[in-house]
Amino acid sequence: MADIDLSIFFVAAHNGDIFILKKCLDKGLDIHSCNDLALRIVTKANHTKAILFLLSRGANIQAVYDEELIHAALQGKTKTVRILLEEYSCSQEAKIYAMYNAIFGRHEEIIELLLQNGVSPTENNGAVLNVVKLCNNDRINNLFKDYLK
């Protein structure tokens, strides 16, 4: 499908225009384009009918949870991170990106939550540890010591 069709699809999502969303999908546009960006757009814009429509057509709700986890970690929203980790099944990939954000933001409580929820310091061939080293913060380094034993 042409790039213009994809941009039309995302504008339709922004506007909550189910007619255009349906038309694009019926033409063969992949609902999962850009990691279910259309669903994330309609969710942020609170277009309830469009959310339900995209979900009925196979959009992956996981993308919304994952994005929220990554942003909450970046912004230091410990309570939101805790809820997302406890109540929803966020992907391991999202947890890893959330960890990077928490490390760079020096959000120690969030780092600890992510470690407790299965993000290993050796994820991505040790990339998490490399980010810890780049951060160069003794308190954050100490958080990881127990998980390296």
Side-chain angles (χ1 to χ4, degrees):
M1 190 146 231
D3 289 335
I4 190 74
D5 293 331
L6 194 58
S7 65
I8 289 170
F9 186 60
F10 294 142
V11 169
H14 178 72
N15 295 329
D17 189 333
I18 295 171
F19 177 78
I20 300 294
L21 291 170
K22 181 180 181 333
K23 200 170 183 178
C24 290
L25 292 171
D26 289 347
K27 281 184 163 184
L29 188 123
D30 181 7
I31 196 163
H32 305 296
S33 295
C34 300
N35 192 26
D36 287 272
L37 181 57
L39 180 62
R40 292 184 283 141
I41 291 169
V42 298
T43 302
K44 286 210 181 293
N46 201 28
H47 295 304
T48 309
K49 289 180 182 178
I51 292 168
L52 294 172
F53 169 74
L54 291 173
L55 288 172
S56 76
R57 294 292 294 263
N60 183 1
I61 192 70
Q62 188 69 49
V64 176
Y65 299 144
D66 287 354
E67 180 178 27
E68 290 305 317
L69 177 67
I70 292 165
H71 286 292
L74 178 65
Q75 296 166 353
K77 296 182 176 181
T78 306
K79 187 175 180 179
T80 301
V81 169
R82 181 177 283 111
I83 290 168
L84 287 165
L85 290 171
E86 291 174 357
E87 303 294 327
Y88 301 98
S89 180
C90 295
S91 71
Q92 190 66 11
E93 181 181 23
K95 290 178 187 179
I96 293 166
Y97 285 110
M99 178 64 86
Y100 296 150
N101 285 343
I103 292 167
F104 282 121
R106 291 174 165 71
H107 304 299
E108 295 173 29
E109 284 183 74
I110 294 173
I111 293 168
E112 192 124 27
L113 278 171
L114 290 163
L115 286 167
Q116 292 166 358
N117 281 274
V119 178
S120 167
T122 58
E123 294 278 358
N124 285 355
N125 296 319
V128 170
L129 282 177
N130 289 336
V131 173
V132 171
K133 289 175 189 170
L134 285 172
C135 183
N136 196 24
N137 181 300
D138 290 336
R139 288 174 49 181
I140 290 175
N141 282 326
N142 287 333
L143 288 174
F144 284 87
K145 284 184 180 176
D146 291 337
Y147 291 90
L148 291 171
K149 294 177 181 175

